[in-house]
C-alpha cells in the first residue's frame, strides 16, 4: 500500500501542547469556598442575640484577631467584623479564581498564609495560657487556611489559570 493512501495518524504541529485541565483551579476554589463558609459560620455563631463572643467561647477563639487580647481587640466585636470581612473577601476572590484570573490566586495565597500565621500565634497563645481544650477550632481553621493556601500556589493551579 502506498504511504499516501488510507488513513494516516495526524501528528500535532511542533511546539503544540494540549490545553491544561481547569480541575486544579476548581479544586483550589472549592477549598477557598470552605474557608469562606468557615469564616461566616464562626462570625455568625458569635454575633447572634447581642451576646458577642460570650455566646460560643469554643468557636470564638477562632475569630480573626481575638487572640490579641482585650487591650487590642476590646469587647470582641471587631474580631467578629474582621472574620465576616475576611469571609467576604475570600468569597469574592474565589469567584475570580474560578473565573481563572491569575492575580486572585496570588492574593488568596498571600492572605491565606498571613491568616495561617495568625492562627499559629493563636494556637500557641492558647497553649501557653492553659486553653488546651479550646485549641480544636483554631487548629481546624489553621489547617483549612493553610491547605487552601498551599493548593493555590502549586504549579498545576497556575497552569489551569491559562
Amino acid at each position: 500500500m502506498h504511504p499516501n493512501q488510507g488513513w494516516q495518524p495526524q501528528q500535532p504541529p511542533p511546539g503544540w501542547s494540549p490545553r491544561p485541565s481547569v480541575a486544579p483551579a476548581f479544586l483550589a476554589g472549592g477549598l477557598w469556598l470552605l474557608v469562606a463558609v468557615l469564616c461566616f459560620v464562626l462570625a455568625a455563631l458569635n454575633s447572634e442575640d447581642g451576646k458577642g463572643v460570650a455566646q460560643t467561647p469554643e468557636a470564638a477563639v477562632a475569630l480573626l484577631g481575638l487572640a490579641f487580647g482585650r487591650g487590642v481587640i476590646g469587647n470582641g466585636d471587631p474580631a467578629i467584623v474582621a472574620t465576616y470581612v475576611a469571609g467576604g473577601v475570600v468569597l469574592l476572590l474565589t469567584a475570580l479564581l474560578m473565573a481563572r484570573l491569575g492575580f486572585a490566586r496570588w492574593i488568596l495565597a498571600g492572605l491565606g498564609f498571613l491568616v495561617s500565621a495568625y492562627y499559629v500565634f493563636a494556637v500557641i497563645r492558647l497553649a501557653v495560657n492553659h486553653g488546651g481544650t479550646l485549641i480544636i477550632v483554631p487548629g481546624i481553621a489553621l489547617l483549612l487556611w493553610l491547605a487552601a493556601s498551599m493548593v493555590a500556589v502549586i504549579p498545576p493551579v497556575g497552569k489551569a489559570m491559562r
Side-chain angles (χ1 to χ4, degrees), residues 70-158:
R70 277 209 184 281
V72 175
I73 205 71
N75 64 356
D77 288 345
I80 295 170
V81 171
T83 306
Y84 270 129
V85 169
V89 168
V90 166
L91 193 59
L92 172 68
L93 289 171
T94 300
L96 296 176
L97 175 77
M98 289 186 167
R100 297 184 23 216
L101 296 174
F103 73 91
R105 124 181 142 114
W106 292 111
I107 295 172
L108 279 169
L111 178 66
F113 286 125
L114 183 69
V115 172
S116 295
Y118 164 76
Y119 276 122
V120 167
F121 167 74
V123 167
I124 290 172
R125 180 154 183 186
L126 283 169
V128 167
N129 292 332
H130 307 292
T133 59
L134 300 174
I135 290 178
I136 295 170
V137 179
I140 291 170
L142 167 65
L143 292 176
L144 189 56
W145 277 90
L146 193 58
S149 302
M150 290 173 63
V151 167
V153 297
I154 61 174
V157 175

Side-chain angles (χ1 to χ4, degrees), residues 44-52 55:
L45 282 175
N46 294 291
S47 61
E48 293 178 6
D49 299 329
K51 293 180 185 176
Q55 186 163 338

Side-chain angles (χ1 to χ4, degrees), residues 26-48:
F26 285 103
L27 171 68
L31 284 172
W32 285 113
L33 280 176
L34 288 175
V35 168
V37 167
L38 176 71
C39 286
F40 289 134
V41 167
L42 289 173
L45 282 175
N46 294 291
S47 61
E48 293 178 6

Side-chain angles (χ1 to χ4, degrees), residues 48-74:
E48 293 178 6
D49 299 329
K51 293 180 185 176
V53 294
Q55 186 163 338
T56 54
E58 293 83 8
V61 293
L63 291 172
L64 294 175
L66 202 63
F68 291 131
R70 277 209 184 281
V72 175
I73 205 71

